[in-house]
Amino acid sequence: MMTTTTMTTGGSTSSTCTESTRASTSTTTGTAAGTGSDLARRWAAYLTAEVDAASLAVFRVGYGALIAWEVVRYALHDRIARYYIEPGFFFSFVPFVRPWGGTGMYWHFAAVFVLALLCAAGLFYRVSAALLCAALTYVFLLDKAQYLNHLYLLCLLGLLLAVAPAHRAHSLDLLRARRASPAGAPPSMPTETVPRFHLFALKAQIAIVYFYGGVAKLNGDWLRGQPLTMWLAEHADAPLVGPLLAAPAAGLALSYAGLLIDLSMGFLLFSRRTFPFGAAIAVAFNLSNAFLFKIGIFPYAMIASLALFAEPSWPRRRLPFLFGRADRAGDGALVSSPAGPSPAPAPSPAPAPAASRRRALPLALLHAYLLFHLVVPLRHWLYPGDVAWNEAGHRFSWRMKLRDKNVSELDIGVMDPRTGVRESLDLEEWLTDRQLGEMSTRPDMIVDFARHVADRWQEDFGVRPVVTAKVVASLNGGPFRDLVDPTRDLASLPRGLFEAVPAP
């Protein structure tokens, strides 16, 4: 009897505890769901809040000016002809994208120059920014031999600027809209504010470049100071700093400094407290890169991007002669004036369901864009081997200044399958010096060239040849070895976005 009572009591107790646990679990789940939903709403409200467009306008001016200057540099150094007119073959990213014929590429770069100036001035901005992004992307896709991280970055920043209303402050469009408005009537252009997510997207893109540039440096060669030590030794004759750069310890010290700067820079710039410190380091870091390496306008684009990380209204305090006080017709932004920040407006009512749905699309696109660019730089882990050697997943991953390949032997030949006779190609008749130099260290470009040669041979002789290559190279001062399999028919290898060249 006592046992039965105890069991009953125990059963009752167990039932009571179960009900209590269920209630507690339900409450916890509901609280967690409510907290998650509340965080999502707050995050969405943060991103969609209107902020001053002044800092975005400063970056727009810098972006357009840098591209215009890059076009001038291309023209002065005859790169338009050497890169896009003289070659007889292009390692195009997309098969159907080809350079304009005749003098078309000169006109194309002239158009880029004009569009860049229009973008900088904020004139016909919506059209000029979209066309500028399309024109830059077209040039970028023409030839893998001309792949540059800074050109890729300019295309991405151009896309983000093209969808942003960066002309709402300090633009000729704004001036035209104000002059066109009747006296006493509100201007046709919206107030000088933009949704915060436009600024956030640009800042996040810059932070991704820095961070993945640092992640890529977490490899054995970089951590032992290579290839930076070899490159710094080439500056031994530089005034004052030459002997310091040539010292063996300099390469190792600067390698670790670059690693730490890249990994931390995004965090330093995003934090309001550490932004001044991070900005100073960023300027010094990028100027030193510009001094040591020939990497075009990339360092200056990164310096220009610092305008995005400070308070959105900073130009109105620092550049009052260019930026007046912004209009504030219910814009919800905290706009600063020389006397200090204006008081924040009263909280706006909760958005209507239709408005919430309208703002959901840009936020979804923003997160999809950022997720894509967080994943793409990691794709080299899908391929076997060292990415610095086989180049599989190297592009679009912010792997910058990580490798130095020295080619000791390069021979590409065709064999007629009917006779078994192999003939070596005179590569200088097929490719420009720059294309040849780039192709010799990149297996995927060697395969692209092999397929092109096989296609031409088949058109001329009616039979598809076997194309093989003997390429012997070293990586960062390491031993020489075959870059591709010298016995494999490279023209028969499949090519695609996710295809990697098999290792020897």
Side-chain angles (χ1 to χ4, degrees), residues 188-223:
S188 59
M189 179 168 289
T191 54
E192 296 183 34
T193 62
V194 296
R196 184 184 275 115
F197 64 78
H198 290 297
L199 278 169
F200 182 82
L202 289 162
K203 294 193 292 185
Q205 180 62 76
I206 297 297
I208 286 172
V209 174
Y210 275 118
F211 183 74
Y212 278 108
V215 170
K217 291 179 174 64
L218 295 172
N219 65 78
D221 282 347
W222 188 268
L223 295 178

Side-chain angles (χ1 to χ4, degrees), residues 40-316:
R41 283 194 299 268
R42 291 171 60 187
W43 176 241
Y46 171 81
L47 291 176
T48 55
E50 294 287 325
V51 297
D52 200 325
S55 63
L56 183 60
V58 171
F59 178 70
R60 185 202 74 225
V61 173
Y63 175 83
L66 283 172
I67 293 177
W69 171 240
E70 185 75 337
V71 172
V72 172
R73 290 179 64 245
Y74 267 57
L76 292 176
H77 294 88
D78 199 28
R79 292 177 182 173
I80 301 174
R82 289 191 291 113
Y83 292 177
Y84 304 109
I85 298 177
E86 294 176 1
F89 167 69
F90 294 89
F91 296 90
S92 177
F93 283 100
V94 183
F96 57 83
V97 176
R98 290 288 185 268
W100 303 108
T103 60
M105 290 306 298
Y106 286 113
W107 289 106
H108 185 90
F109 274 87
V112 171
F113 179 79
V114 173
L115 291 171
L117 293 181
L118 291 175
C119 180
L123 182 61
F124 312 120
Y125 176 76
R126 284 301 194 183
V127 175
S128 62
L131 290 177
L132 178 60
C133 176
L136 286 175
T137 303
Y138 166 78
V139 173
F140 174 77
L141 294 175
L142 284 176
D143 198 346
K144 295 176 185 177
Q146 315 308 333
Y147 176 87
L148 294 169
N149 280 293
H150 81 251
L151 183 53
Y152 175 47
L153 178 61
L154 290 178
C155 291
L156 296 179
L157 296 177
L159 173 63
L160 296 176
L161 279 175
V163 299
H167 60 315
R168 288 188 180 176
H170 197 59
S171 71
L172 294 181
D173 281 344
L174 178 63
L175 181 62
R176 290 170 58 244
R178 286 174 172 171
R179 288 183 175 180
S181 300
S188 59
M189 179 168 289
T191 54
E192 296 183 34
T193 62
V194 296
R196 184 184 275 115
F197 64 78
H198 290 297
L199 278 169
F200 182 82
L202 289 162
K203 294 193 292 185
Q205 180 62 76
I206 297 297
I208 286 172
V209 174
Y210 275 118
F211 183 74
Y212 278 108
V215 170
K217 291 179 174 64
L218 295 172
N219 65 78
D221 282 347
W222 188 268
L223 295 178
R224 66 181 179 88
Q226 294 295 353
L228 195 55
T229 299
M230 295 188 297
W231 292 338
L232 292 179
E234 298 174 359
H235 297 273
D237 296 332
L240 300 179
V241 297
L244 293 176
L245 295 177
L252 189 63
L254 292 180
S255 293
Y256 277 87
L259 169 66
L260 295 176
I261 289 172
D262 277 337
L263 289 177
S264 63
M265 185 54 64
F267 301 100
L268 292 175
L269 295 180
F270 260 104
S271 172
R272 185 177 303 180
R273 291 183 177 179
T274 58
F275 168 75
F277 177 66
I281 294 178
V283 171
F285 177 64
N286 284 288
L287 288 180
S288 65
N289 284 337
F291 169 74
L292 293 173
F293 310 112
K294 295 180 179 180
I295 49 179
I297 63 173
F298 185 86
Y300 307 107
M302 299 303 279
I303 291 175
S305 71
L306 295 175
L308 299 166
F309 289 90
E311 284 294 315
S313 59
W314 72 264
R316 302 192 190 280

